[in-house]
Amino acid sequence: MLRWIIFLIVYAIIDFYAFQSFKTVAKNNWILALYWILSLLVIGNFLFHYYNFNRSDGFTVQQAFAFGFLIAFLVPKMLLLIIMFAEDIFRVPQAIYRYFTEGSSASGNYFPARRQFISKVALGLAAIPFASIIYGIYKGKYNFKVLKYTLTFNDLPDAFDGYKITQISDIHSGSFDDIEKVSYAIDLINEQASDVILFTGDMVNNKASELIPYKDIFSKLDAKDGKFSVLGNHDYGDYVTWESEEAKHQNLEELKTIQKDIGFDLLLNESRFLEKNGQRLALVGVENWGTGGFKKAGDLKKATQHIDAHDFKILMSHDPSHWEQQVIADPYHYHLTLSGHTHGMQFGIEIPGWFKWSPVKWRYKYWAGIYQEMGQYINVNRGFGYLAFPGRVGIWPEITVIELKKGAELA
């Protein structure tokens, strides 16, 4: 209870300062009243959904929107707070000076009036994150991008020169609210006409039932060499309360069955061979393995018991921290690892090929795109869906297409 009292006090302080900018610029009382009405509706809606949160059901779409709207209003207000407070750094000393030099003879309030120019600039700057977040909630989360890479290996089997892989990750089907947009993305994946489709975990938020409305849509995914998948940390149902361990286990088994019905070959610390013209690639899939309190069910040794050390290997592992902590230094040498998990935090600034930044980089060294270490590559997919915050700002949902080429490896 204490933390919520502190939260509301902090929120009230932020609101008070943000209101100063509106009060300076807007003289219409109806506009000022509308500010408080919207502010109270947003915080009230958030508190209502928070106190009605049922851990057995998990995070609902309605709760996600309540959280999203809170973020959409809170972030711009925090910017206004910073600017208004910075103005007060100058206003307060002036007020103190007037108090001691003019005393009771001072006319009006000791504080100098707020400057309209500063308030207008503050509101203009605050409009940028507000518009960006609102766009991210309504459009950005379905702003699918196809990112294409060509990776060159000197030991790639000749038959696989030009081989195309489509990777998707982090579907989080329980978060979707527009089935037509999801269907469009599936068509976009099929348009890539890749040889194989690889899914790197988190098919659902918590429960297998989330996937049922999208089962027919994902069944349309097509690649001539098949579709393969692994589990992510959310697929195990660890983030909701179950009536029994048996119910939790049954949920996981149901998810495995649905993935099979869709056409995915789910690799549970297993391997498969992709064969072409008498040559082969080893496809290795491990269960989730992650640092920072995440499940460590992945077992590389078990997954590669039928793989030769000299095989060309593609590893599917949901969490990129696995690559950093165990895979890079493994003597088996995994040529290409495909991961997801980070979502790029669904927020950041990115100019493809030039610049990318997200706060998630402080948590994960490898958080989005292609990285190379010790002659091995990893691609961290930014995710197909979204979780908790119902949108994406600057870091868009991703469909990755990787073409393998035979030749001298790039430095």
Side-chain angles (χ1 to χ4, degrees):
M1 186 64 180
L2 178 61
R3 65 179 179 178
W4 281 106
I5 294 174
I6 295 172
F7 170 76
L8 290 174
I9 291 173
V10 172
Y11 188 87
I13 292 171
I14 294 172
D15 239 344
F16 170 78
Y17 263 99
F19 179 69
Q20 301 305 306
S21 58
F22 282 90
K23 186 178 179 181
T24 303
V25 173
K27 304 302 180 183
N28 188 310
N29 288 333
W30 284 106
I31 295 177
L32 299 180
L34 181 63
Y35 172 91
W36 288 113
I37 291 171
L38 288 175
S39 186
L40 290 172
L41 284 174
V42 168
I43 189 66
N45 185 48
F46 173 74
L47 292 174
F48 171 79
H49 282 290
Y50 174 83
Y51 279 106
N52 283 279
F53 175 73
N54 186 334
R55 188 166 173 80
S56 297
D57 296 330
F59 211 54
T60 67
V61 172
Q62 292 77 18
Q63 289 163 344
F65 271 99
F67 176 65
F69 288 134
L70 178 69
I71 295 299
F73 278 78
L74 187 58
V75 171
K77 287 179 180 180
M78 291 177 67
L79 182 57
L80 292 174
L81 164 70
I82 293 170
I83 297 173
M84 293 296 100
F85 184 77
E87 186 183 16
D88 280 349
I89 292 176
F90 296 96
R91 290 176 72 230
V92 171
Q94 287 179 311
I96 295 173
Y97 176 79
R98 286 193 65 196
Y99 175 79
F100 285 106
T101 58
E102 299 181 26
S104 59
S105 64
S107 59
N109 195 322
Y110 289 111
F111 279 89
R114 290 194 180 275
R115 299 177 184 178
Q116 274 203 0
F117 173 75
I118 292 177
S119 293
K120 288 179 179 179
V121 169
L123 288 170
L125 292 174
I128 297 173
F130 178 75
S132 298
I133 294 170
I134 293 297
Y135 174 83
I137 291 174
Y138 284 100
K139 295 290 185 180
K141 62 189 178 187
Y142 296 123
N143 185 23
F144 295 98
K145 300 296 182 184
V146 177
L147 302 185
K148 297 184 178 183
Y149 304 99
T150 299
L151 301 181
T152 304
F153 303 88
N154 57 15
D155 56 348
L156 179 72
D158 293 337
F160 289 89
D161 187 19
Y163 196 78
K164 287 175 63 178
I165 299 165
T166 287
Q167 180 200 2
I168 54 176
S169 191
D170 298 88
I171 288 173
H172 289 286
S173 53
S175 296
F176 292 139
D177 60 2
D178 191 329
I179 199 165
E180 291 184 2
K181 294 293 186 181
V182 177
S183 182
Y184 158 77
I186 297 304
D187 290 339
L188 188 59
I189 292 170
N190 285 335
E191 285 176 12
Q192 307 313 309
S194 290
D195 296 287
V196 67
I197 294 175
L198 306 180
F199 171 68
T200 49
D202 278 1
M203 185 71 78
V204 297
N205 293 343
N206 300 293
K207 296 185 175 182
S209 58
E210 300 167 16
L211 186 56
I212 292 176
Y214 302 93
K215 183 177 176 180
D216 291 341
I217 292 176
F218 283 103
S219 296
K220 296 177 182 177
L221 287 170
D222 184 58
K224 67 182 184 67
D225 288 346
K227 303 178 288 188
F228 300 86
S229 63
V230 294
L231 296 175
N233 56 299
H234 279 267
D235 294 322
Y236 296 92
D238 288 340
Y239 306 118
V240 291
T241 301
W242 299 92
E243 59 185 30
S244 66
E245 280 299 315
E246 182 182 353
K248 182 180 178 181
H249 174 74
Q250 183 58 39
N251 175 74
L252 180 57
E253 293 304 308
E254 183 181 353
L255 178 61
K256 293 176 182 177
T257 299
I258 295 175
Q259 287 208 32
K260 182 179 180 181
D261 292 343
I262 288 173
F264 280 107
D265 184 354
L266 178 61
L267 304 184
L268 302 167
N269 294 322
E270 299 174 276
S271 62
R272 302 285 187 270
F273 288 111
L274 303 175
E275 298 185 356
K276 190 175 182 181
N277 298 337
Q279 297 180 317
R280 70 184 191 182
L281 297 183
L283 181 62
V284 181
V286 295
E287 294 195 52
N288 191 81
W289 193 104
T291 59
F294 292 106
K295 183 182 288 291
K296 291 182 172 66
D299 188 336
L300 272 176
K301 292 190 180 301
K302 180 181 178 182
T304 56
Q305 59 185 326
H306 303 299
I307 300 294
D308 188 86
H310 299 293
D311 280 319
F312 188 96
K313 292 174 284 297
I314 299 173
L315 172 65
M316 300 166 64
S317 181
H318 177 67
D319 191 321
S321 66
H322 187 213
W323 191 68
E324 179 182 4
Q325 296 296 322
Q326 291 196 339
V327 177
I328 296 175
D330 192 284
Y332 252 44
H333 187 86
Y334 294 88
H335 298 75
L336 173 62
T337 298
L338 302 176
S339 298
H341 182 63
T342 72
H343 298 206
M345 202 177 168
Q346 298 169 208
F347 171 83
I349 302 170
E350 184 166 15
I351 303 173
W354 291 90
F355 176 80
K356 64 181 178 184
W357 176 89
S358 169
V360 79
K361 68 176 292 184
W362 298 320
R363 171 65 176 85
Y364 291 96
K365 182 178 180 180
Y366 309 103
W367 61 274
I370 296 286
Y371 302 89
Q372 183 183 20
E373 298 282 354
M374 297 176 62
Q376 301 166 86
Y377 289 98
I378 185 173
N379 180 64
V380 183
N381 185 285
R382 294 158 181 81
F384 182 92
Y386 51 92
L387 178 69
F389 174 68
R392 285 178 174 266
V393 180
I395 303 293
W396 312 121
E398 175 182 347
I399 298 163
T400 312
V401 178
I402 297 175
E403 183 178 7
L404 307 180
K405 294 295 291 182
K406 173 84 172 184
E409 294 184 17
L410 299 177

